[in-house]
Amino acid sequence: MKSILKSSVLSVSLLCGTVLTTTLANAQSVPLVPPTNSQGGDEVVEENVSGPILQEIVISGLQRIEEETILTYLSLREGKPYTANTINQSLKKLYATGLFADVSISQIGQNALEIKVVENPIINRVAYEGNLRVKDEILESETQLRPRIVYTRTRVQNDVKRILDVYRRRGRYAAKVVPKIIQLDQNRVDLAFEIEEGPDSGVHKISFVGNDYFDDDALASELLTRQTRWYSFLSDADTYDPDKLTFDRELLRRYYLKSGFADFRVVSAVAELSEDRTGFFITFTVEEGDRYSFGDYEISSSLKGVDVESLYEFVDIDVGDWYNANILEDNVDAITEELNRQGFAFVDVYPEINRNTEDDIININFKIAEAPKVYVDRIEIRGNVRTKDEVIRREFRLVEGDAFNTSKLRRSRQRITDLGYFKNVEVNNVPGQSPNHTVIQVDVEEQSTGELSLGGGFSTTAGLLAEVAVEERNLLGRGQHLRVATQLGQDESKVDISFTEPYFLDREGLAAGVDLFLVEEDNQDTSSSDNSEKGFRLRTGYDLTQYWRQNLNLRVANEEVTNVASDASIYVKADEGERTVVSIGHTTAYDRLNSRISPTDGYIFSFSNDFAGLAGDVDYFSSTVKASNYVSFMEEDFVLELSASASNIVGLNDQDVRLNDRFYAGGSNFRGFDNAGVGPRDTATDDALGGKNRWLATAELDFPIGVPREFGLTASVFTDFGSVWSTEESGTNVADDTSIRSSVGVGFNWESPLGPMRFDFAQAIQKEDYDDTEIFRFSFGTRF
């Protein structure tokens, strides 16, 4: 018969997660490890326990919690046997509730136990102190402790970590958080998080290891993360962000893959925090591998009925050019689209890459195989609170019921991303209701699409100017574009209201819009008069093919020539007054540029016509042809632009062409000459008369000047040449000839922290005596 001495006491005290004491004196040797069930689950009460019978349980220290709540957590029951094991289990269960700061169980008599508890306090108020850059609302949304919640040390430590994470996402890794409590009556506390935000943890240095072909500056310019500079306060590009670093790895991979390095990989990207926690040192270790050129290519098909020969015209690869993964993907898309058009719904076009390591050539075999017959069950769009579903759906290359195609799915995601309405776009396909059906899930995270821009600038042409513009690129969530802008300048002021519907009549590629304008120009320096125009323009545009686009417009304007100087040319005085102009026009363009903003490769050709005469007071027909070609070399550091244009205008119905409708050259379109400095002129008054014919050409080479790219400094050398001739007027004081004018010069571009600046120094080489020239031209502008 087992005996337990009366002096036996078991006491376990737990405080804020730390086991302070555990004693078992004068007791039978019983293990304190709690039993578990056979599946390794939670602790269970022992069955058929042999031991003394528990006669009484006394609970003390309760303030808010009911005794019944305590009893539900115990492995002890009055009238049941108990052992050290069941007592140990009860202690652990009570502490695991998080309700108590201290728990102890002791024997108080023959077969009687006392459970003493110290309840955790209740939080009365949570305060944040020292947070100047992060609002209380943001911290409250991240933390979990709230008023009337039980205070525990573990919960406080978790919230401290969450607050630090908020600051780290904002680039402040030196932030410190100290939690403090203020004891109140009735076992309540006020909790205060004292925050020391610390400085921004910028990027002190970005280094590369293993790069032989591209230097550090070239690679750093491709990254989203920027090294901290004196002007970095104007943006957050130099703020360290782990997600941004992951994306930078992908940007490096894309850059090398489009430059011929098919075997490139990023070995590691390590960010080391400085000892003072104020900045990071980032090191990318890369393996460039060999640089390959495009070799031969072929198309093969295991799919019956495919006319392989007809597909070669859709392959756009120049043998000998550097290998480019983007070009390869574009060719896969083009072949897939053509096969779909021919009726092959289930196709998989896979480019097999065959490396010739001896000659550094990559031969491509576009393999065509039958893809699994899977149909799109439905498209689910989630996360769009403001943007309507139809705005997203119309960018899809797939619709419900279509044959599933990974190439089209990839293009759909890119089109949705290109809208610019969303911070993040995820497009995935998951199994549908049957094995041959799939569901496309689209998850988007919206971002702000409205902009208020304030601008200022100066140029030698327009003088000082200021601009205020309000723009919304996703009006009412319908994908429409609205812009209201006003510009005030020394020589020109205007108000412009523009609205564009990108899917007019719900047709893809068909855009329509309307512009309202009011313009006031001071032309006293060039033609001794002021001009004003107010009116509207209706426009539409649509794609003819992948590269051809057609734009149409109808313009109705009231134009007026005022404030004609008393000593102005008689030809300027003849145009004084008010006239109504109604014109229709078109522009047809073939665009093969690699970028519409900063092209470095490709060409664009366009021709346009404008016809006035259906109504109004002015009748004319004008034509313009333009062409530009861009060639880059030395890893796109040097970009050569060759451009040319030719224009002609003729009066209709026996009308002369007004001075306002003629062509002028000089200033920004012909450097080395003043505004309207080239072309017919009244030599007696020095007023520009303009010409009915004009041609212009430019050759310009842009290149770096040896400073780090993040400074945004580049230079260029250029030559402009052309001519303007054929005026309606004649007389001894009218100068008009077809001679060629030309100029040469050098320019400097600076993408400054305050906006882009352009400095041009040009010298007229060929000119007429009556032409107006200038040597220096400067322009500056910014928006913020």
Side-chain angles (χ1 to χ4, degrees):
M1 184 174 178
K2 299 179 180 178
S3 64
I4 300 180
L5 299 179
K6 293 182 180 181
S7 61
S8 64
V9 176
L10 172 64
S11 176
V12 178
S13 179
L14 303 170
L15 177 62
C16 296
T18 303
V19 178
L20 299 181
T21 61
T22 301
T23 62
L24 181 59
N26 302 321
Q28 180 185 18
S29 178
V30 180
L32 294 182
V33 179
T36 59
N37 58 25
S38 58
Q39 284 75 32
D42 295 334
E43 299 164 340
V44 296
V45 179
E46 297 181 52
E47 298 294 338
N48 301 320
V49 175
S50 62
I53 303 299
L54 183 59
Q55 300 296 331
E56 183 182 9
I57 298 177
V58 178
I59 301 175
S60 61
L62 294 178
Q63 294 181 1
R64 303 180 312 272
I65 302 172
E66 300 291 337
E67 286 191 6
E68 289 75 10
T69 303
I70 298 290
L71 294 174
T72 59
Y73 289 106
L74 297 178
S75 299
L76 301 167
R77 297 290 185 270
E78 291 183 356
K80 298 289 185 179
Y82 71 100
T83 65
N85 206 8
T86 54
I87 293 174
N88 194 24
Q89 290 181 27
S90 298
L91 281 169
K92 291 185 176 181
K93 288 183 177 181
L94 288 176
Y95 177 70
T97 64
L99 299 173
F100 309 105
D102 185 41
V103 180
S104 65
I105 302 177
S106 60
Q107 190 164 332
I108 59 175
Q110 183 67 33
N111 300 329
L113 296 177
E114 180 183 18
I115 301 176
K116 292 182 180 181
V117 297
V118 177
E119 294 182 2
N120 274 321
I122 294 293
I123 295 176
N124 177 63
R125 185 171 67 93
V126 179
Y128 304 93
E129 300 175 0
N131 53 312
L132 301 177
R133 293 171 176 81
V134 181
K135 295 181 179 180
D136 286 4
E137 293 79 6
I138 296 176
L139 296 178
E140 289 171 355
S141 66
E142 293 287 338
T143 55
Q144 293 186 350
L145 288 175
R146 301 284 187 273
R148 297 183 297 279
I149 288 181
V150 176
Y151 168 92
T152 69
R153 184 179 178 183
T154 301
R155 289 175 176 173
V156 172
Q157 290 173 338
N158 289 337
D159 275 356
V160 168
K161 182 179 181 299
R162 293 186 181 97
I163 294 172
L164 290 174
D165 286 342
V166 171
Y167 278 95
R168 285 168 180 167
R169 289 198 297 268
R170 286 163 171 76
R172 294 182 178 272
Y173 282 78
K176 298 178 181 178
V177 180
V178 178
K180 293 188 176 180
I181 61 172
I182 302 172
Q183 295 287 347
L184 303 175
D185 57 0
Q186 299 178 353
N187 199 24
R188 297 175 302 128
V189 294
D190 284 344
L191 174 62
F193 291 101
E194 293 186 355
I195 302 171
E196 183 181 334
E197 295 182 318
D200 282 327
S201 300
V203 177
H204 289 345
K205 186 174 180 58
I206 300 176
S207 304
F208 298 88
V209 177
N211 55 311
D212 295 325
Y213 197 86
F214 297 112
D215 60 27
D216 286 10
D217 290 338
L219 297 182
S221 67
E222 297 296 322
L223 303 179
L224 199 60
T225 304
R226 288 286 185 263
Q227 191 168 312
T228 301
R229 300 294 183 186
W230 65 268
Y231 52 80
S232 296
F233 67 92
L234 294 170
S235 72
D236 61 353
D238 69 323
T239 300
Y240 171 73
D241 185 337
D243 293 334
K244 212 159 47 170
L245 190 64
T246 300
F247 187 59
D248 284 337
R249 294 174 62 118
E250 175 63 16
L251 290 177
L252 284 176
R253 189 186 71 86
R254 294 180 186 178
Y255 181 64
Y256 270 94
L257 287 181
K258 77 175 184 179
S259 304
F261 294 89
D263 299 327
F264 171 81
R265 71 186 188 99
V266 179
V267 179
S268 65
V270 179
E272 297 177 288
L273 186 61
S274 61
E275 291 185 3
D276 58 3
R277 305 181 69 85
T278 60
F280 284 87
F281 296 87
I282 299 177
T283 303
F284 293 92
T285 302
V286 302
E287 287 184 3
E288 291 181 328
D290 294 334
R291 194 180 194 193
Y292 295 88
S293 300
F294 277 120
D296 296 331
Y297 60 87
E298 61 177 330
I299 303 175
S300 60
S301 174
S302 61
L303 197 60
K304 293 183 179 180
V306 174
D307 183 6
V308 171
E309 295 300 322
S310 67
L311 299 175
Y312 277 93
E313 64 176 293
F314 297 95
V315 178
D316 186 14
I317 292 178
D318 294 326
V319 176
D321 281 358
W322 294 119
Y323 170 80
N324 189 322
N326 295 337
I327 292 177
L328 199 61
E329 186 172 320
D330 291 341
N331 280 272
V332 169
D333 290 343
I335 296 173
T336 302
E337 283 188 13
E338 176 59 18
L339 289 170
N340 292 160
R341 191 189 66 80
Q342 293 180 11
F344 297 95
F346 303 100
V347 292
D348 181 21
V349 180
Y350 173 76
E352 183 182 69
I353 298 176
N354 300 309
R355 293 173 174 80
N356 182 339
T357 56
E358 292 183 1
D359 301 325
D360 289 336
I361 291 175
I362 288 182
N363 300 313
I364 309 296
N365 181 11
F366 294 97
K367 289 189 171 184
I368 302 172
E370 184 175 10
K373 294 184 178 181
V374 177
Y375 296 89
V376 178
D377 196 0
R378 65 183 183 277
I379 298 175
E380 297 178 352
I381 301 174
R382 303 177 297 191
N384 55 318
V385 178
R386 180 167 172 264
T387 306
K388 298 185 179 298
D389 278 9
E390 64 186 44
V391 174
I392 300 174
R393 288 183 179 275
R394 67 193 185 190
E395 300 301 328
F396 260 90
R397 305 299 87 193
L398 295 164
V399 297
E400 284 89 345
D402 277 359
F404 177 76
N405 186 287
T406 54
S407 176
K408 290 184 177 181
L409 186 68
R410 185 173 59 252
R411 288 186 55 212
S412 299
R413 181 188 181 282
Q414 187 61 50
R415 288 172 63 92
I416 297 172
T417 302
D418 291 343
L419 290 174
Y421 305 159
F422 308 108
K423 184 185 301 183
N424 185 44
V425 178
E426 293 293 336
V427 180
N428 300 293
N429 60 296
V430 297
Q433 296 180 349
S434 59
N436 63 337
H437 283 78
T438 187
V439 175
I440 297 176
Q441 293 180 344
V442 184
D443 291 286
V444 297
E445 181 182 354
E446 291 182 317
Q447 64 182 359
S448 175
T449 55
E451 297 178 6
L452 170 64
S453 61
L454 308 176
F458 172 80
S459 74
T460 50
T461 302
L464 291 172
L465 57 89
E467 181 184 63
V468 179
V470 178
E471 185 174 9
E472 173 55 60
R473 294 178 287 110
N474 187 16
L475 184 65
L476 301 177
R478 299 179 178 273
Q480 299 161 336
H481 187 183
L482 176 66
R483 186 174 189 270
V484 180
T486 178
Q487 177 179 297
L488 301 176
Q490 288 180 302
D491 298 329
E492 181 181 46
S493 299
K494 61 182 178 181
V495 177
D496 188 8
I497 302 174
S498 174
F499 173 80
T500 303
E501 170 56 70
Y503 274 76
F504 187 58
L505 301 178
D506 291 329
R507 293 188 58 185
E508 179 186 350
L510 177 62
V514 59
D515 302 319
L516 305 177
F517 53 85
L518 171 62
V519 181
E520 301 283 346
E521 293 181 330
D522 180 354
N523 294 325
Q524 295 293 334
D525 292 339
T526 58
S527 58
S528 302
S529 64
D530 294 338
N531 291 354
S532 68
E533 60 176 319
K534 53 181 178 292
F536 66 89
R537 180 186 295 106
L538 301 177
R539 49 188 166 75
T540 183
Y542 52 91
D543 295 326
L544 298 173
T545 65
Q546 182 179 358
Y547 302 111
W548 283 98
R549 183 168 179 84
Q550 175 80 36
N551 294 301
L552 306 173
N553 70 84
L554 167 65
R555 180 176 177 272
V556 179
N558 178 272
E559 300 180 355
E560 188 174 7
V561 178
T562 59
N563 298 330
V564 177
S566 59
D567 58 350
S569 169
I570 58 174
Y571 309 114
V572 175
K573 293 179 179 180
D575 272 357
E576 185 175 13
E578 184 177 354
R579 293 171 179 80
T580 300
V581 180
V582 180
S583 66
I584 58 174
H586 86 93
T587 299
T588 304
Y590 183 71
D591 187 351
R592 296 301 300 270
L593 297 177
N594 65 342
S595 170
R596 295 184 180 181
I597 300 175
S598 301
T600 59
D601 187 64
Y603 57 90
I604 183 172
F605 167 80
S606 68
F607 63 93
S608 59
N609 300 106
D610 286 288
F611 168 69
L614 294 178
D617 306 319
V618 179
D619 300 335
Y620 65 78
F621 181 80
S622 69
S623 304
T624 298
V625 178
K626 296 181 180 180
S628 296
N629 185 54
Y630 294 83
V631 179
S632 62
F633 46 95
M634 295 186 69
E635 309 312 321
E636 297 187 355
D637 284 340
F638 290 75
V639 179
L640 176 64
E641 175 192 357
L642 303 174
S643 61
S645 66
S647 303
N648 169 264
I649 186 171
V650 295
L652 303 177
N653 300 323
D654 298 325
Q655 280 195 13
D656 291 339
V657 179
R658 298 181 308 153
L659 271 65
N660 275 6
D661 300 323
R662 297 177 190 175
F663 302 109
Y664 297 85
S668 58
N669 68 359
F670 203 149
R671 289 158 293 189
F673 294 87
D674 201 357
N675 292 327
V678 175
R681 186 175 300 275
D682 186 332
T683 56
T685 63
D686 200 34
D687 288 330
L689 303 178
K692 295 188 292 183
N693 298 299
R694 180 184 69 185
W695 70 270
L696 298 171
T698 295
E700 182 167 349
L701 177 65
D702 293 331
F703 54 90
I705 59 176
V707 299
R709 292 193 180 189
E710 53 263 34
F711 283 98
L713 287 170
T714 59
S716 62
V717 291
F718 59 83
T719 176
D720 295 339
F721 45 99
S723 183
V724 181
W725 74 97
S726 185
T727 183
E728 300 282 2
E729 294 72 33
S730 61
T732 57
N733 61 325
V734 175
D736 180 14
D737 59 69
T738 61
S739 62
I740 297 177
R741 280 78 153 183
S742 64
S743 65
V744 295
V746 59
F748 298 93
N749 294 286
W750 183 27
E751 294 293 333
S752 76
L754 301 179
M757 296 184 181
R758 171 83 187 195
F759 306 84
D760 285 320
F761 300 86
Q763 176 65 53
I765 302 301
Q766 294 175 283
K767 65 184 183 66
E768 297 297 329
D769 293 338
Y770 55 84
D771 290 335
D772 286 344
T773 62
E774 69 175 13
I775 295 177
F776 173 68
R777 175 164 291 269
F778 165 71
S779 64
F780 157 68
T782 185
R783 289 182 180 177
F784 48 90

PDB file of all heavy atoms in Angstrom, residues 675-696:
ATOM      1  N   ASN A 675      13.871  81.297 -82.638  1.00  0.00           N
ATOM      2  CA  ASN A 675      12.515  80.885 -82.997  1.00  0.00           C
ATOM      3  C   ASN A 675      12.083  81.565 -84.288  1.00  0.00           C
ATOM      4  O   ASN A 675      12.197  82.799 -84.425  1.00  0.00           O
ATOM      5  CB  ASN A 675      11.530  81.263 -81.890  1.00  0.00           C
ATOM      6  CG  ASN A 675      11.751  80.467 -80.638  1.00  0.00           C
ATOM      7  OD1 ASN A 675      12.150  79.307 -80.691  1.00  0.00           O
ATOM      8  ND2 ASN A 675      11.533  81.080 -79.487  1.00  0.00           N
ATOM      9  N   ALA A 676      11.570  80.768 -85.225  1.00  0.00           N
ATOM     10  CA  ALA A 676      11.166  81.271 -86.538  1.00  0.00           C
ATOM     11  C   ALA A 676      12.303  82.038 -87.208  1.00  0.00           C
ATOM     12  O   ALA A 676      12.072  82.950 -88.009  1.00  0.00           O
ATOM     13  CB  ALA A 676       9.918  82.155 -86.426  1.00  0.00           C
ATOM     14  N   GLY A 677      13.523  81.636 -86.885  1.00  0.00           N
ATOM     15  CA  GLY A 677      14.676  82.355 -87.432  1.00  0.00           C
ATOM     16  C   GLY A 677      15.044  81.954 -88.836  1.00  0.00           C
ATOM     17  O   GLY A 677      15.850  82.636 -89.485  1.00  0.00           O
ATOM     18  N   VAL A 678      14.501  80.856 -89.345  1.00  0.00           N
ATOM     19  CA  VAL A 678      14.810  80.375 -90.690  1.00  0.00           C
ATOM     20  C   VAL A 678      13.567  80.533 -91.563  1.00  0.00           C
ATOM     21  O   VAL A 678      12.448  80.198 -91.143  1.00  0.00           O
ATOM     22  CB  VAL A 678      15.242  78.893 -90.664  1.00  0.00           C
ATOM     23  CG1 VAL A 678      15.435  78.363 -92.085  1.00  0.00           C
ATOM     24  CG2 VAL A 678      16.496  78.721 -89.841  1.00  0.00           C
ATOM     25  N   GLY A 679      13.748  81.015 -92.768  1.00  0.00           N
ATOM     26  CA  GLY A 679      12.627  81.068 -93.697  1.00  0.00           C
ATOM     27  C   GLY A 679      12.307  82.474 -94.173  1.00  0.00           C
ATOM     28  O   GLY A 679      12.994  83.443 -93.838  1.00  0.00           O
ATOM     29  N   PRO A 680      11.265  82.588 -94.978  1.00  0.00           N
ATOM     30  CA  PRO A 680      10.893  83.893 -95.546  1.00  0.00           C
ATOM     31  C   PRO A 680      10.723  84.957 -94.467  1.00  0.00           C
ATOM     32  O   PRO A 680      10.219  84.691 -93.377  1.00  0.00           O
ATOM     33  CB  PRO A 680       9.573  83.597 -96.254  1.00  0.00           C
ATOM     34  CG  PRO A 680       9.656  82.134 -96.598  1.00  0.00           C
ATOM     35  CD  PRO A 680      10.393  81.506 -95.470  1.00  0.00           C
ATOM     36  N   ARG A 681      11.129  86.193 -94.825  1.00  0.00           N
ATOM     37  CA  ARG A 681      11.105  87.275 -93.836  1.00  0.00           C
ATOM     38  C   ARG A 681      10.921  88.613 -94.535  1.00  0.00           C
ATOM     39  O   ARG A 681      11.383  88.819 -95.665  1.00  0.00           O
ATOM     40  CB  ARG A 681      12.424  87.258 -93.058  1.00  0.00           C
ATOM     41  CG  ARG A 681      12.506  88.235 -91.894  1.00  0.00           C
ATOM     42  CD  ARG A 681      13.815  88.012 -91.143  1.00  0.00           C
ATOM     43  NE  ARG A 681      13.891  86.645 -90.627  1.00  0.00           N
ATOM     44  CZ  ARG A 681      13.355  86.258 -89.468  1.00  0.00           C
ATOM     45  NH1 ARG A 681      12.702  87.138 -88.726  1.00  0.00           N
ATOM     46  NH2 ARG A 681      13.473  85.027 -89.074  1.00  0.00           N
ATOM     47  N   ASP A 682      10.222  89.511 -93.849  1.00  0.00           N
ATOM     48  CA  ASP A 682      10.124  90.893 -94.297  1.00  0.00           C
ATOM     49  C   ASP A 682      11.362  91.602 -93.770  1.00  0.00           C
ATOM     50  O   ASP A 682      11.479  91.887 -92.573  1.00  0.00           O
ATOM     51  CB  ASP A 682       8.849  91.538 -93.738  1.00  0.00           C
ATOM     52  CG  ASP A 682       8.619  92.935 -94.300  1.00  0.00           C
ATOM     53  OD1 ASP A 682       9.608  93.608 -94.656  1.00  0.00           O
ATOM     54  OD2 ASP A 682       7.440  93.367 -94.354  1.00  0.00           O
ATOM     55  N   THR A 683      12.304  91.866 -94.637  1.00  0.00           N
ATOM     56  CA  THR A 683      13.587  92.420 -94.199  1.00  0.00           C
ATOM     57  C   THR A 683      13.450  93.843 -93.687  1.00  0.00           C
ATOM     58  O   THR A 683      14.320  94.314 -92.949  1.00  0.00           O
ATOM     59  CB  THR A 683      14.600  92.380 -95.357  1.00  0.00           C
ATOM     60  OG1 THR A 683      14.057  93.080 -96.490  1.00  0.00           O
ATOM     61  CG2 THR A 683      14.909  90.943 -95.760  1.00  0.00           C
ATOM     62  N   ALA A 684      12.363  94.523 -94.058  1.00  0.00           N
ATOM     63  CA  ALA A 684      12.173  95.899 -93.594  1.00  0.00           C
ATOM     64  C   ALA A 684      11.774  95.936 -92.126  1.00  0.00           C
ATOM     65  O   ALA A 684      12.150  96.858 -91.385  1.00  0.00           O
ATOM     66  CB  ALA A 684      11.123  96.605 -94.454  1.00  0.00           C
ATOM     67  N   THR A 685      10.988  94.955 -91.661  1.00  0.00           N
ATOM     68  CA  THR A 685      10.506  94.933 -90.267  1.00  0.00           C
ATOM     69  C   THR A 685      11.088  93.780 -89.462  1.00  0.00           C
ATOM     70  O   THR A 685      10.868  93.704 -88.257  1.00  0.00           O
ATOM     71  CB  THR A 685       8.976  94.814 -90.243  1.00  0.00           C
ATOM     72  OG1 THR A 685       8.608  93.568 -90.843  1.00  0.00           O
ATOM     73  CG2 THR A 685       8.336  95.975 -91.004  1.00  0.00           C
ATOM     74  N   ASP A 686      11.783  92.867 -90.111  1.00  0.00           N
ATOM     75  CA  ASP A 686      12.359  91.670 -89.489  1.00  0.00           C
ATOM     76  C   ASP A 686      11.281  90.731 -88.943  1.00  0.00           C
ATOM     77  O   ASP A 686      11.519  89.966 -88.016  1.00  0.00           O
ATOM     78  CB  ASP A 686      13.332  92.041 -88.380  1.00  0.00           C
ATOM     79  CG  ASP A 686      14.292  90.885 -88.062  1.00  0.00           C
ATOM     80  OD1 ASP A 686      14.653  90.155 -89.003  1.00  0.00           O
ATOM     81  OD2 ASP A 686      14.635  90.698 -86.872  1.00  0.00           O
ATOM     82  N   ASP A 687      10.092  90.772 -89.517  1.00  0.00           N
ATOM     83  CA  ASP A 687       9.017  89.865 -89.114  1.00  0.00           C
ATOM     84  C   ASP A 687       9.087  88.584 -89.940  1.00  0.00           C
ATOM     85  O   ASP A 687       9.228  88.633 -91.176  1.00  0.00           O
ATOM     86  CB  ASP A 687       7.643  90.514 -89.317  1.00  0.00           C
ATOM     87  CG  ASP A 687       7.365  91.604 -88.300  1.00  0.00           C
ATOM     88  OD1 ASP A 687       7.884  91.485 -87.176  1.00  0.00           O
ATOM     89  OD2 ASP A 687       6.635  92.569 -88.623  1.00  0.00           O
ATOM     90  N   ALA A 688       8.983  87.447 -89.267  1.00  0.00           N
ATOM     91  CA  ALA A 688       8.975  86.153 -89.942  1.00  0.00           C
ATOM     92  C   ALA A 688       7.630  85.968 -90.644  1.00  0.00           C
ATOM     93  O   ALA A 688       6.568  86.226 -90.060  1.00  0.00           O
ATOM     94  CB  ALA A 688       9.220  85.033 -88.952  1.00  0.00           C
ATOM     95  N   LEU A 689       7.691  85.504 -91.882  1.00  0.00           N
ATOM     96  CA  LEU A 689       6.473  85.300 -92.669  1.00  0.00           C
ATOM     97  C   LEU A 689       6.113  83.831 -92.824  1.00  0.00           C
ATOM     98  O   LEU A 689       4.979  83.519 -93.231  1.00  0.00           O
ATOM     99  CB  LEU A 689       6.651  85.939 -94.061  1.00  0.00           C
ATOM    100  CG  LEU A 689       7.001  87.427 -94.075  1.00  0.00           C
ATOM    101  CD1 LEU A 689       7.189  87.909 -95.518  1.00  0.00           C
ATOM    102  CD2 LEU A 689       5.943  88.248 -93.354  1.00  0.00           C
ATOM    103  N   GLY A 690       7.046  82.931 -92.524  1.00  0.00           N
ATOM    104  CA  GLY A 690       6.756  81.509 -92.677  1.00  0.00           C
ATOM    105  C   GLY A 690       6.730  81.072 -94.117  1.00  0.00           C
ATOM    106  O   GLY A 690       6.667  81.892 -95.045  1.00  0.00           O
ATOM    107  N   GLY A 691       6.778  79.753 -94.345  1.00  0.00           N
ATOM    108  CA  GLY A 691       6.777  79.227 -95.698  1.00  0.00           C
ATOM    109  C   GLY A 691       5.772  78.112 -95.880  1.00  0.00           C
ATOM    110  O   GLY A 691       5.328  77.487 -94.906  1.00  0.00           O
ATOM    111  N   LYS A 692       5.441  77.857 -97.120  1.00  0.00           N
ATOM    112  CA  LYS A 692       4.498  76.780 -97.434  1.00  0.00           C
ATOM    113  C   LYS A 692       5.200  75.438 -97.578  1.00  0.00           C
ATOM    114  O   LYS A 692       4.539  74.397 -97.645  1.00  0.00           O
ATOM    115  CB  LYS A 692       3.734  77.112 -98.712  1.00  0.00           C
ATOM    116  CG  LYS A 692       2.832  78.342 -98.580  1.00  0.00           C
ATOM    117  CD  LYS A 692       1.940  78.518 -99.796  1.00  0.00           C
ATOM    118  CE  LYS A 692       2.748  78.885-101.024  1.00  0.00           C
ATOM    119  NZ  LYS A 692       1.868  79.137-102.197  1.00  0.00           N
ATOM    120  N   ASN A 693       6.530  75.465 -97.596  1.00  0.00           N
ATOM    121  CA  ASN A 693       7.297  74.235 -97.701  1.00  0.00           C
ATOM    122  C   ASN A 693       8.398  74.241 -96.632  1.00  0.00           C
ATOM    123  O   ASN A 693       8.998  75.278 -96.352  1.00  0.00           O
ATOM    124  CB  ASN A 693       7.942  74.099 -99.081  1.00  0.00           C
ATOM    125  CG  ASN A 693       6.918  74.022-100.183  1.00  0.00           C
ATOM    126  OD1 ASN A 693       6.091  73.116-100.228  1.00  0.00           O
ATOM    127  ND2 ASN A 693       6.936  75.010-101.088  1.00  0.00           N
ATOM    128  N   ARG A 694       8.659  73.081 -96.095  1.00  0.00           N
ATOM    129  CA  ARG A 694       9.717  72.966 -95.096  1.00  0.00           C
ATOM    130  C   ARG A 694      10.254  71.547 -95.089  1.00  0.00           C
ATOM    131  O   ARG A 694       9.493  70.591 -95.208  1.00  0.00           O
ATOM    132  CB  ARG A 694       9.190  73.316 -93.696  1.00  0.00           C
ATOM    133  CG  ARG A 694      10.251  73.208 -92.590  1.00  0.00           C
ATOM    134  CD  ARG A 694       9.652  73.466 -91.218  1.00  0.00           C
ATOM    135  NE  ARG A 694       8.756  72.396 -90.799  1.00  0.00           N
ATOM    136  CZ  ARG A 694       8.033  72.420 -89.678  1.00  0.00           C
ATOM    137  NH1 ARG A 694       8.095  73.472 -88.877  1.00  0.00           N
ATOM    138  NH2 ARG A 694       7.251  71.408 -89.379  1.00  0.00           N
ATOM    139  N   TRP A 695      11.566  71.442 -94.952  1.00  0.00           N
ATOM    140  CA  TRP A 695      12.152  70.137 -94.651  1.00  0.00           C
ATOM    141  C   TRP A 695      13.246  70.323 -93.597  1.00  0.00           C
ATOM    142  O   TRP A 695      13.939  71.331 -93.573  1.00  0.00           O
ATOM    143  CB  TRP A 695      12.700  69.451 -95.908  1.00  0.00           C
ATOM    144  CG  TRP A 695      13.926  70.078 -96.516  1.00  0.00           C
ATOM    145  CD1 TRP A 695      13.983  71.052 -97.464  1.00  0.00           C
ATOM    146  CD2 TRP A 695      15.298  69.738 -96.214  1.00  0.00           C
ATOM    147  NE1 TRP A 695      15.275  71.365 -97.772  1.00  0.00           N
ATOM    148  CE2 TRP A 695      16.102  70.569 -97.030  1.00  0.00           C
ATOM    149  CE3 TRP A 695      15.897  68.839 -95.358  1.00  0.00           C
ATOM    150  CZ2 TRP A 695      17.493  70.523 -97.002  1.00  0.00           C
ATOM    151  CZ3 TRP A 695      17.278  68.777 -95.317  1.00  0.00           C
ATOM    152  CH2 TRP A 695      18.068  69.607 -96.132  1.00  0.00           C
ATOM    153  N   LEU A 696      13.340  69.349 -92.709  1.00  0.00           N
ATOM    154  CA  LEU A 696      14.302  69.394 -91.616  1.00  0.00           C
ATOM    155  C   LEU A 696      14.917  68.017 -91.437  1.00  0.00           C
ATOM    156  O   LEU A 696      14.261  67.002 -91.697  1.00  0.00           O
ATOM    157  CB  LEU A 696      13.627  69.807 -90.292  1.00  0.00           C
ATOM    158  CG  LEU A 696      12.981  71.192 -90.239  1.00  0.00           C
ATOM    159  CD1 LEU A 696      12.178  71.343 -88.950  1.00  0.00           C
ATOM    160  CD2 LEU A 696      14.037  72.285 -90.329  1.00  0.00           C
TER     161      LEU A 696
END
